[in-house]
Amino acid sequence: MQKKILTDQSIYYGNVSMPENWEIDRIELSHHILQSNLTDTKLQLSKTFDKLNDYVREHINLKYSFNLINKETWGNIYKPNETTVPLLNVDPVDLRNSPDYTLLYGVKTKDCMVRIYYDDNRRKGRSWDIEIKDNMFIMFPSTNMYYLTNNQKDSLNFVQTITYEYI
Amino acid sequence: MAHFAKLSESNEVLTVLTLNNSDMLNADDVETESIGQQYLETHNNWPAEMWIQTSYNTLGGQHSNGGTAFRGNYASIGYTWDVDNQIFWPKKPYSSWVKHISSASWKSPIGDASALTDEQTDENTAETHRWRYVWNETNTTWDLTNELA
């Protein structure tokens, strides 16, 4: 008996473990997210963003042997008790230009939960919950719908999203 | 052109970048690894000591152009940097295999497989058989198999 895996629906997550004294400057990232949201402009790219992006791409390639190519990036700020609408980063009528993976990075978060929906054959609409903490990333297929729940009481949550294609 | 391996915190090679020789010259115009490391730290956001120079022409502890072998093997993604022996190691093929320093390669605990006999070689040449020794990790032996059987 043999088995052929036709597709793989995996979630990759973990902390961004940079070398000592080379940690991601999350304060700088949160400033850029704030600036981008206030001015309604694209997120400013920086060396700090490159560090984060290189870390993810290189470690995914090392551990799971596939290459990620950047599509887009943006940052979100969430108020206390804010729950997002269900989010989906593929455009069903433009799959050609849609990303393969969505990555969420906890720039500054507290009590921030992500719920990711998936189908398990005929068992539709299953979900998996994970808390996104500071300096943690979660990457999942962009075809999976997700939403974020922010249960913090007295601060804003900053989450950076990066989308990728894979080859 | 010089090549440098970017190491993870567990000394695994994340990527290999090329560097112009002119970017690693010291004050006396001599190519120096530490200058190259410093250049890469500045331009690639990764600490200097985690960039290790590697030789494109070195494989299995030998230099392909007859030069001096440098650090065992040309580094590649997934290789591991061995600080003590100054060698880039490929992935271990079997858990029982051990490092062979002088050839910068992994060897079975019982050494290499025996050479094929003249008769087996002739049969391979005639393509009536395809004799080959295959490593058996369970028994830690080299098993002679005919791949055409």
Side-chain angles (χ1 to χ4, degrees):
Chain A
M1 187 182 288
Q2 295 181 56
K3 175 184 173 183
K4 169 74 180 166
I5 297 173
L6 299 176
T7 188
D8 171 27
Q9 219 183 128
S10 299
I11 296 175
Y12 307 87
Y13 63 97
N15 286 321
V16 177
S17 307
M18 296 292 285
E20 202 178 340
N21 300 321
W22 284 80
E23 291 84 1
I24 304 291
D25 183 351
R26 291 182 292 107
I27 293 173
E28 185 190 331
L29 286 182
S30 62
H31 286 170
H32 289 163
I33 291 172
L34 186 62
Q35 186 183 38
S36 156
N37 277 257
L38 288 175
T39 57
D40 196 21
T41 54
K42 278 197 165 186
L43 196 64
Q44 186 180 332
L45 298 181
S46 61
K47 277 194 165 189
T48 301
F49 171 78
D50 285 344
K51 274 161 75 170
L52 168 64
N53 189 45
D54 287 348
Y55 178 92
V56 171
R57 294 180 60 216
E58 288 170 351
H59 282 78
I60 288 285
N61 190 17
L62 175 68
K63 288 187 184 297
Y64 304 106
S65 302
F66 64 95
N67 285 299
L68 294 169
I69 299 169
N70 283 76
K71 293 283 286 182
E72 290 184 62
T73 186
W74 63 89
N76 292 97
I77 304 171
Y78 299 111
K79 292 178 284 195
N81 295 318
E82 181 177 350
T83 299
T84 67
V85 295
L87 302 164
L88 184 68
N89 292 326
V90 292
D91 180 350
V93 295
D94 189 14
L95 293 173
R96 185 188 176 86
N97 294 309
S98 293
D100 288 304
Y101 282 100
T102 295
L103 179 138
L104 305 176
Y105 175 70
V107 177
K108 181 182 167 297
T109 56
K110 192 178 172 190
D111 299 330
C112 181
M113 296 297 296
V114 184
R115 173 165 288 186
I116 300 164
Y117 287 96
Y118 65 97
D119 293 338
D120 176 16
N121 211 320
R122 67 188 169 88
R123 298 160 194 85
K124 306 287 184 191
R126 290 199 161 187
S127 63
W128 188 69
D129 293 349
I130 185 170
E131 183 178 357
I132 183 164
K133 296 180 177 172
D134 282 349
N135 196 40
M136 180 181 169
F137 77 89
I138 303 165
M139 191 176 85
F140 50 91
S142 293
T143 47
N144 291 98
M145 201 159 66
Y146 66 102
Y147 70 84
L148 287 90
T149 309
N150 299 276
N151 296 318
Q152 82 279 20
K153 301 254 183 306
D154 51 7
S155 56
L156 295 172
N157 280 343
F158 290 73
V159 175
Q160 177 136 9
T161 305
I162 310 175
T163 59
Y164 295 103
E165 278 181 50
Y166 80 90
I167 52 170
Chain B
M1 196 72 82
H3 297 81
F4 281 78
K6 179 180 180 179
L7 302 183
S8 72
E9 285 204 290
S10 53
N11 280 345
E12 284 176 290
V13 176
L14 291 167
T15 190
V16 179
L17 293 188
T18 55
L19 191 65
N20 288 327
N21 293 345
S22 57
D23 291 326
M24 52 183 297
L25 297 177
N26 66 13
D28 299 322
D29 272 355
V30 177
E31 287 174 25
T32 311
E33 183 177 16
S34 60
I35 304 288
Q37 289 173 320
Q38 205 55 55
Y39 181 93
L40 287 163
E41 175 176 305
T42 307
H43 294 91
N44 288 278
N45 295 316
W46 200 248
E49 67 276 12
M50 294 175 81
W51 291 97
I52 302 293
Q53 194 172 2
T54 181
S55 162
Y56 187 76
N57 294 308
T58 296
L59 179 67
Q62 297 199 319
H63 195 276
S64 59
N65 300 334
T68 306
F70 184 58
R71 293 175 173 165
N73 294 291
Y74 177 57
S76 185
I77 293 171
Y79 279 36
T80 304
W81 170 238
D82 176 349
V83 185
D84 296 335
N85 295 305
Q86 295 283 299
I87 289 173
F88 285 103
W89 293 99
K91 282 196 172 133
K92 194 176 186 174
Y94 300 98
S95 59
S96 68
W97 285 33
V98 292
K99 285 177 177 174
H100 189 254
I101 305 296
S102 62
S103 66
S105 62
W106 295 98
K107 297 274 188 194
S108 82
I110 57 168
D112 292 336
S114 309
L116 295 176
T117 63
D118 290 345
E119 188 185 354
Q120 288 160 350
T121 307
D122 290 345
E123 287 172 346
N124 281 355
T125 309
E127 295 186 0
T128 57
H129 294 74
R130 195 179 295 155
W131 294 111
R132 199 164 81 86
Y133 280 99
V134 176
W135 178 250
N136 182 330
E137 179 65 7
T138 310
N139 301 329
T140 59
T141 54
W142 288 106
D143 293 348
L144 181 64
T145 57
N146 173 17
E147 293 179 339
L148 289 184

